[in-house]
């Protein structure tokens, strides 16, 4: 069965993310991708860095099936079978005693925290603190407010769309996200502006 989902936004952003993310990954390292979505980021990245073990994860069944279809299609050995992972869970599946690829050098998470309630941001950093190696990094990609302000007109419209969908969603303040990260032992080290009014945020686990 071909369950591949094609995400137009992933097609647009994957090369820019690859440039920011892939050179930062240590040789022979390991990445846990949170909310892999269609699975196209992993599909694009794993052939470029075959030395890096890539653990995709998803919450939703159609995205789990899509990621598995993309994995079968690309056939890269370092692309591990997708795990079902809800970041708000007290224990993530990568913490199971029989799981052998953690703790991780990095977490990668794109476009999740604005389209989910704040508890998802809290769960993300709580879990990151548990599953990252000391000195490991969490890389988050997406739109952010800076100093409480939107960085573009298009993000204002995007936030209106998000709020209409669910009032608990919203473009997050980078300062609030950094404070939440810090509560969980991760420090914001760099905030890289990306095309289309997005950012690549780099948090290091202390
Ligand atoms: C806009 S999609 C982004 C997917 C993909 N990362 C991308 O950039 O195309 C938002 C994702 O957040 C995931 N998500 C929302 N709440 C979550 C949670 N509690 N735990 C894990 N993933 C969650 C959704 O399942 C969805 O895959």
């Amino acid at each position: 069965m071909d369950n591949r989902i094609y995400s137009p936004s992933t097609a647009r952003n994957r090369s820019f993310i690859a440039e920011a993310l892939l050179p930062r990954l240590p040789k022979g390292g390991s990445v846990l991708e949170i909310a892999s979505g269609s699975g196209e980021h992993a599909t694009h990245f794993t052939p470029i860095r075959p030395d890096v073990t890539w653990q995709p994860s998803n919450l939703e069944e159609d995205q789990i099936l899509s990621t598995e279809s993309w994995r079968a299609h690309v056939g890269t050995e370092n692309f591990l079978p997708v795990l079902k992972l809800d970041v708000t869970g007290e224990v993530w599946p990568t913490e199971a005693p029989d799981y052998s690829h953690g703790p991780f050098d990095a977490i990668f998470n794109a476009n999740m925290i604005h389209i989910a309630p704040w508890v998802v941001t809290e769960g993300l950093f709580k879990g990151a603190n548990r599953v990252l190696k000391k000195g490991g990094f969490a890389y988050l990609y997406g739109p952010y407010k800076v100093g409480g302000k939107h960085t573009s007109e298009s993000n204002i419209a995007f936030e209106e769309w998000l709020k209409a969908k669910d009032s608990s969603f919203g473009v997050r303040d980078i300062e609030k996200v950094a404070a939440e990260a810090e509560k969980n032992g991760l420090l914001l080290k760099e905030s890289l502006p990306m095309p289309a009014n997005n950012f690549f945020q780099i948090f290091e686990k202390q």
Side-chain angles (χ1 to χ4, degrees):
M1 279 272 280
D2 187 352
N3 293 301
R4 283 178 293 169
I5 296 170
Y6 292 79
S7 157
S9 64
T10 306
R12 286 194 297 273
N13 65 32
R14 62 191 176 196
S15 301
F16 302 122
I17 297 176
E19 272 175 40
L21 173 66
L22 300 185
R24 290 186 155 82
L25 300 176
K27 193 157 179 49
S30 55
V31 176
L32 170 61
E33 183 181 10
I34 301 289
S36 299
S38 63
E40 291 164 283
H41 282 134
T43 300
H44 188 69
F45 301 158
T46 51
I48 305 175
R49 284 297 303 270
D51 60 304
V52 169
T53 302
W54 192 278
Q55 176 63 71
S57 71
N58 269 321
L59 177 61
E60 294 163 60
E61 201 54 35
D62 61 331
Q63 300 185 352
I64 288 173
L65 294 174
S66 174
T67 301
E68 277 306 293
S69 266
W70 275 111
R71 185 170 81 88
H73 177 77
V74 68
T76 36
E77 279 178 22
N78 54 323
F79 190 157
L80 299 178
V82 64
L83 293 173
K84 183 171 174 110
L85 192 157
D86 179 342
V87 294
T88 63
E90 294 280 305
V91 179
W92 289 1
T94 62
E95 296 172 85
D98 61 347
Y99 183 82
S100 59
H101 301 289
F104 298 94
D105 294 294
I107 281 178
F108 168 63
N109 175 235
N111 288 321
M112 179 183 77
I113 65 171
H114 56 274
I115 193 152
W118 181 250
V119 68
V120 167
T121 304
E122 294 171 338
L124 173 64
F125 287 113
K126 274 193 197 127
N129 188 27
R130 298 193 306 270
V131 309
L132 278 176
K133 292 178 187 168
K134 187 172 157 51
F137 290 89
Y139 299 105
L140 271 62
Y141 170 87
Y144 289 84
K145 288 184 203 159
V146 180
K149 294 199 171 71
H150 284 289
T151 61
S152 71
E153 290 292 321
S154 63
N155 281 359
I156 296 175
F158 183 49
E159 175 146 68
E160 278 169 16
W161 178 83
L162 285 169
K163 293 274 180 209
K165 213 172 159 60
D166 187 317
S167 60
S168 71
F169 296 176
V171 175
R172 306 301 178 195
D173 269 301
I174 185 53
E175 294 82 2
K176 286 192 190 149
V177 174
E180 189 57 40
E182 204 167 331
K183 270 197 225 163
N184 293 286
L186 285 102
L187 289 187
L188 179 64
K189 301 300 271 192
E190 267 184 87
S191 200
L192 304 179
M194 300 284 278
N197 308 303
N198 287 296
F199 285 91
F200 187 75
Q201 311 285 11
I202 304 178
F203 300 88
E204 185 174 12
K205 181 177 161 179
Q206 303 306 291

